[in-house]
């Protein structure tokens, strides 16, 4: 059920910032998430902080490159033969 | 050496070979060095062959291999003694967990005509970010790589490393904090961010001109 905006408890910036990483990691649920989302609608500083952390996280994710090393595969094959 | 039967060896080969690229990729993220990553994968496979009979649930082979890989990496780092073992109880209350690059570079008075945080982030090369990861102690590096580079959830990381969820969170918080601090210092060295005293003067000048 969607909570009406009037019934959402306002939270402080300090409280909001303590939830930022759970939020960007998609681990924040229920009331805690709704309160944070409401705070982000009204606080530019915390909104920018969330955007910044998301940007850094996306840069880290881009470091994940596919590797296809024949050399490593061959070495693993050889190792398996030894056991 | 614990010799596997032909059947066990074939079974291990069937499940292990499709995972070699994953192991290699994670090893590269940990070490950022091709030779070191290859050695780490080889050590992991050697250990996996020795311990394969002790693996009860063989459908869980991927987290099991990643656990061996992570433990091997921690052990190698400790041997090098560059990153001594970290006491996690001390970290729980460590305010340094909360270092934020954003808070260092945010300039609210530029709100309407610029986004310095985004501009600074765009100036970092992938190499800069990779080097910042490399600077992290092994336990924190593993948490950051598994979560932010590999995109795993807290529970998956907890299962791989066999640690409580709270420990995953605290290692990740500490790792991210150290990573951002490293990037901040690096940005200052490169002149992307002005050092504090200089920055204060610049801000004063900008204030007086607007």
């Amino acid at each position: 059920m969607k909570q009406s905006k009037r019934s959402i408890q306002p939270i402080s910036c300090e409280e909001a910032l303590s939830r930022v990483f759970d939020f960007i990691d998609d681990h924040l649920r229920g009331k805690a998430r709704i309160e944070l989302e409401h705070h982000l609608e009204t606080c530019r500083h915390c909104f920018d902080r969330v955007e910044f952390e998301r940007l850094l996280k996306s840069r880290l994710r881009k470091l994940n490159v596919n590797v296809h090393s024949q050399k490593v595969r061959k070495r693993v094959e050889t190792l398996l033969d030894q056991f | 050496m614990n010799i596997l039967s032909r059947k066990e060896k074939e079974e291990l080969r069937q499940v292990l070979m499709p995972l070699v690229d994953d192991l290699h990729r994670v090893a590269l993220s940990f070490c950022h060095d091709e030779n070191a990553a290859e050695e780490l994968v080889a050590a992991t496979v050697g250990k996996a062959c020795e311990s394969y009979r002790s693996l009860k649930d063989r459908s869980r082979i991927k987290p099991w291999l990643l656990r061996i890989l992570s433990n091997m990496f921690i052990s190698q780092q400790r041997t090098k003694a560059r990153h001594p073992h970290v006491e996690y109880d001390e970290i729980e209350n460590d305010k340094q967990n909360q270092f934020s690059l954003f808070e260092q570079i945010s300039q609210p008075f530029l709100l309407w005509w610029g986004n310095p945080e985004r501009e600074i982030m765009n100036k970092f090369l992938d190499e800069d970010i990779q080097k910042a990861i490399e600077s992290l102690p092994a336990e924190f590096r593993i948490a950051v790589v598994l979560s932010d580079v590999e995109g795993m959830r807290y529970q998956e990381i907890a299962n791989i490393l066999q640690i409580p969820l709270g420990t995953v969170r605290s290692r990740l918080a500490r790792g991210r904090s150290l990573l951002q601090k490293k990037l901040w210092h690096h940005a200052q060295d490169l002149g992307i961010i002005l050092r504090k005293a200089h920055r204060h003067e610049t801000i004063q000048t900008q204030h007086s001109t607007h």
Side-chain angles (χ1 to χ4, degrees):
Chain A
M1 191 171 64
K2 205 163 181 178
Q3 211 168 342
S4 86
K5 284 201 174 171
R6 214 178 281 173
S7 66
I8 301 167
Q9 281 289 328
I11 56 171
S12 65
C13 289
E14 193 183 0
E15 182 56 45
L17 294 178
S18 74
R19 300 180 194 180
V20 164
F21 285 111
D22 274 352
F23 182 65
I24 64 163
D25 292 338
D26 195 27
H27 283 281
L28 200 63
R29 296 278 179 269
K31 190 168 156 263
R33 187 181 181 95
I34 292 167
E35 286 169 353
L36 178 64
E37 284 171 341
H38 181 62
H39 182 86
L40 296 179
E41 283 171 17
T42 55
C43 177
R44 177 67 188 261
H45 182 77
C46 290
F47 177 83
D48 283 347
R49 169 75 188 271
V50 167
E51 288 302 297
F52 180 81
E53 298 300 346
R54 275 201 176 122
L55 183 61
L56 178 54
K57 193 176 158 88
S58 74
R59 290 292 306 272
L60 286 160
R61 191 79 177 101
K62 281 183 193 150
L63 298 176
N64 183 323
V65 287
N66 285 328
V67 290
H68 301 288
S69 169
Q70 284 308 314
K71 193 174 160 223
V72 175
R73 296 185 76 82
K74 206 166 182 179
R75 182 144 178 214
V76 170
E77 288 276 11
T78 310
L79 263 169
L80 281 168
D81 288 339
Q82 289 171 2
F83 278 86
Chain B
M1 194 183 287
N2 193 358
I3 304 290
L4 296 172
S5 70
R6 182 177 287 207
K7 187 174 170 246
E8 284 170 323
K9 197 188 288 188
E10 197 43 47
E11 191 183 277
L12 180 57
R13 189 190 305 274
Q14 292 282 328
V15 288
L16 180 62
M17 288 316 291
L19 299 174
V20 170
D21 288 342
D22 289 339
L23 292 176
H24 185 203
R25 187 187 62 246
V26 176
L28 261 177
S29 293
F30 287 169
C31 311
H32 195 43
D33 176 273
E34 189 58 59
N35 290 334
E38 185 184 326
E39 290 307 318
L40 187 55
V41 172
T44 300
V45 171
K47 182 75 183 164
C49 289
E50 281 175 11
S51 317
Y52 187 58
R53 282 180 185 153
S54 69
L55 178 65
K56 301 276 186 287
D57 181 359
R58 296 191 172 172
S59 68
R60 308 270 310 142
I61 188 141
K62 188 173 176 183
W64 181 70
L65 288 168
L66 286 171
R67 184 181 317 137
I68 296 174
L69 185 88
S70 302
N71 288 340
M72 286 278 174
F73 176 65
I74 290 170
S75 158
Q76 283 178 1
Q77 293 295 303
R78 282 189 194 147
T79 309
K80 284 185 190 171
R82 286 193 351 230
H83 299 299
H85 178 59
V86 184
E87 294 296 334
Y88 293 104
D89 289 346
E90 290 172 21
I91 289 162
E92 292 292 338
N93 298 317
D94 187 350
K95 288 284 174 198
Q96 286 189 334
N97 274 5
Q98 294 162 15
F99 181 89
S100 159
L101 179 59
F102 174 83
E103 298 299 341
Q104 298 298 322
I105 60 183
S106 168
Q107 295 177 29
F109 63 91
L110 286 177
L111 208 59
W112 307 111
W113 60 87
N115 189 334
E117 306 91 58
R118 183 171 284 270
E119 284 168 23
I120 286 166
M121 184 60 74
N122 289 339
K123 284 181 183 162
F124 287 126
L125 304 175
D126 286 350
E127 191 66 22
D128 299 328
I129 298 173
Q130 186 64 57
K131 277 191 179 148
I133 294 176
E134 263 180 81
S135 74
L136 302 177
E139 286 90 344
F140 304 138
R141 198 185 317 181
I142 289 168
V144 170
V145 165
L146 295 182
S147 165
D148 293 350
V149 181
E150 287 293 310
M152 289 181 188
R153 298 186 64 75
Y154 299 166
Q155 189 61 60
E156 280 179 276
I157 300 170
N159 291 343
I160 287 168
L161 303 177
Q162 294 197 315
I163 55 175
L165 267 180
T167 309
V168 173
R169 276 196 163 87
S170 68
R171 287 188 192 185
L172 200 47
R174 182 73 163 142
R176 283 167 165 166
S177 171
L178 288 170
L179 181 100
Q180 295 198 11
K181 197 177 243 182
K182 187 76 187 174
L183 285 173
W184 181 54
H185 287 308
H186 184 61
Q188 285 183 320
D189 291 344
L190 291 177
I192 297 173
I193 299 174
L194 300 177
R195 290 190 189 278
K196 262 193 175 165
H198 187 185
R199 188 170 161 231
H200 184 69
E201 282 169 23
T202 311
I203 289 168
Q204 294 291 330
T205 313
Q206 284 171 333
H207 261 308
S208 62
T209 54
H210 291 292

